[in-house]
Amino acid sequence: MTDYIKLIRPDDWHLHLRDGDMLAAVLPESARHFGRAIIMPNLVPPVVTSQDAAAYKARIMAVMPDGAQFSPLMTLYLTENTDADDVATAHKSGLISAVKLYPAGATTNSDSGVADFDKVRGVLERMAEIGLPLCVHGEVTDKDVDIFDREAVFIDRILDPIRRKTPDLRVIMEHITTSNGVDYVKSAGNNLAATITTHHLIINRNDILVGGIKPHYYCLPVAKRESHRLALRAAATSGDARFFLGTDSAPHTDPNKESACGCAGCFTATNTMSILAQVFEDEGALDNLEGFTSLNGPEFYRLKPNKDHIILRKGDPVIYPEKLMTAEGEVSIFNPGFPLLWQIEA
Ligand code: DOR
Ligand code: ZN
């Protein structure tokens, strides 16, 4: 029985660090284990220009824990007014690693996102030219589309047409939640990849709704039926390099989650690696864990893997705190619903 795994230090290819007091509280949770993370730009106001990204990066670095070897990889929030020259300059200087597309209204702080996709054609073409990846929140927002169908419809109505018009654009479908997402990535060539979150490997929609509503399992895209969860687990653990970890760890204070109109987001930064080791072990795929967390992402982003390693050891259950205390209030840490036996050695 394996009870020891040495992994190249993992990266998180989709992370919400927020700002201010929340940033200061959640950053150590990611910086402790991860080498790099793609930092989501959905602040209020969003990170739209290269100037915004530089200022946000400075605010992150200002609260970086001493000794942490963690690099925030910045992104710009795509709007219908985004300036292609500004994007290209930010890319050339190494300031940004991707641009993020939110369909307007799809999720938390996405109001400045894109409603008319023709208006961003110029920027997408420029990104294809310079090799800058597009991270996509893949859900339509049409009122007539059921929330559980929004990813599949997005692929057909929005993403596939964009990719046909701009075949050289490198796209990451973020936090896929359906077998449709898995199949679409598998059907495509090297310019398409997908991130998968920790929580979507664990929960299905019953976990959110059966026996009382569980606001801490509510996120967007919302978890789907069990067959989709199983498709995500198969993809994540398969060794296929087009799938890699993007936790979408998204802190909200408990009052904002446990509310008549609760916020979307699961906070997994603290225990993600312990959970993933268990998932990969349960699937008989521990050998593919390093690919998913540490190799496939850098390969798609054309970066080198991290140089150092982490060690996971299996033993007695690891007790993680239930909540992270922040100056804005308590944030519940994702509860996978099973004991976590894999611990990261200090
Ligand atoms: O659940 C989510 N939370 N999904 C998103 O797309 C955004 C995120 C957030 O910012 O809270
Ligand atoms: Zn997100």
Side-chain angles (χ1 to χ4, degrees):
M1 192 191 75
T2 315
D3 58 5
Y4 167 94
I5 321 168
K6 185 173 173 188
L7 293 180
I8 294 175
R9 184 175 294 283
D11 300 304
D12 184 349
W13 300 96
H14 181 132
L15 177 64
H16 295 270
L17 284 180
R18 313 297 192 208
D19 215 341
D21 287 337
M22 187 61 85
L23 164 64
V26 300
L27 177 61
E29 302 302 294
S30 291
R32 193 172 296 137
H33 306 311
F34 291 94
R36 296 165 287 196
I38 286 278
I39 308 303
M40 286 298 119
N42 63 333
L43 306 182
V44 190
V47 179
V48 172
T49 64
S50 53
Q51 219 179 351
D52 298 338
Y56 185 30
K57 184 172 184 181
R59 296 199 295 282
I60 296 171
M61 297 313 290
V63 291
M64 189 64 70
D66 287 343
Q69 305 157 19
F70 178 80
S71 305
L73 305 178
M74 307 310 290
T75 61
L76 295 183
Y77 185 121
L78 183 63
T79 75
E80 292 177 4
N81 301 313
T82 292
D83 172 9
D85 288 337
D86 185 51
V87 170
T89 308
H91 169 64
K92 199 164 180 204
S93 72
L95 173 64
I96 60 165
S97 302
V99 169
K100 173 70 187 250
L101 165 64
Y102 287 105
T107 186
T108 313
N109 304 333
S110 61
D111 294 349
S112 321
V114 178
D116 179 350
F117 291 87
D118 286 334
K119 292 202 174 134
V120 295
R121 284 233 51 78
V123 178
L124 299 184
E125 275 160 23
R126 187 70 168 275
M127 288 171 61
E129 230 174 85
I130 62 180
L132 179 62
L134 180 72
C135 295
V136 175
H137 183 110
E139 288 188 288
V140 292
T141 53
D142 311 48
K143 285 204 168 57
D144 62 324
V145 179
D146 189 275
I147 189 168
F148 292 104
D149 298 332
R150 287 180 172 196
E151 182 171 299
V153 173
F154 182 87
I155 294 169
D156 291 343
R157 283 193 198 163
I158 313 285
L159 184 56
D160 197 57
I162 287 179
R163 294 191 54 254
R164 282 176 197 278
K165 283 186 202 152
T166 332
D168 292 335
L169 182 65
R170 296 168 57 241
V171 175
I172 300 113
M173 287 181 72
E174 301 198 282
H175 43 50
I176 55 169
T177 57
T178 60
S179 59
N180 311 68
V182 170
D183 293 344
Y184 186 63
V185 170
K186 283 192 187 163
S187 73
N190 288 343
N191 281 346
L192 184 65
T195 57
I196 300 179
T197 74
T198 308
H199 48 282
H200 288 116
L201 297 173
I202 308 298
I203 56 167
N204 63 28
R205 62 196 197 181
N206 280 12
D207 293 306
I208 310 171
L209 296 170
V210 172
I213 193 160
K214 315 291 188 319
H216 295 289
Y217 288 159
Y218 173 63
C219 64
L220 287 170
V222 70
K224 309 295 191 297
R225 63 170 64 240
E226 177 65 358
S227 56
H228 292 297
R229 185 185 74 96
L230 294 177
L232 298 176
R233 278 174 84 103
T237 59
S238 66
D240 185 328
R242 291 170 292 185
F243 299 99
F244 44 89
L245 175 64
T247 65
D248 198 12
S249 181
H252 293 277
T253 61
D254 285 355
N256 283 334
K257 296 281 297 171
E258 299 163 8
S259 143
C261 184
C263 294
C266 297
F267 181 69
T268 53
T270 307
N271 54 8
T272 271
M273 290 308 298
S274 290
I275 297 174
L276 290 176
Q278 193 63 56
V279 168
F280 277 68
E281 183 181 29
D282 292 348
E283 297 293 330
L286 274 178
D287 287 350
N288 290 335
L289 179 59
E290 187 176 59
F292 184 69
T293 61
S294 316
L295 297 173
N296 303 347
E299 189 182 325
F300 190 81
Y301 275 89
R302 298 181 177 161
L303 297 169
K304 293 208 166 76
N306 292 312
K307 288 206 175 74
D308 57 340
H309 293 79
I310 63 164
I311 286 167
L312 285 153
R313 204 177 281 281
K314 191 175 179 186
D316 293 334
V318 196
I319 308 301
Y320 285 98
E322 281 175 29
K323 295 179 194 295
L324 180 75
M325 305 301 166
T326 84
E328 291 185 18
E330 293 180 353
V331 172
S332 285
I333 295 168
F334 179 75
N335 175 2
F338 51 80
L340 294 173
L341 306 179
W342 289 93
Q343 174 148 40
I344 303 188
E345 275 189 7

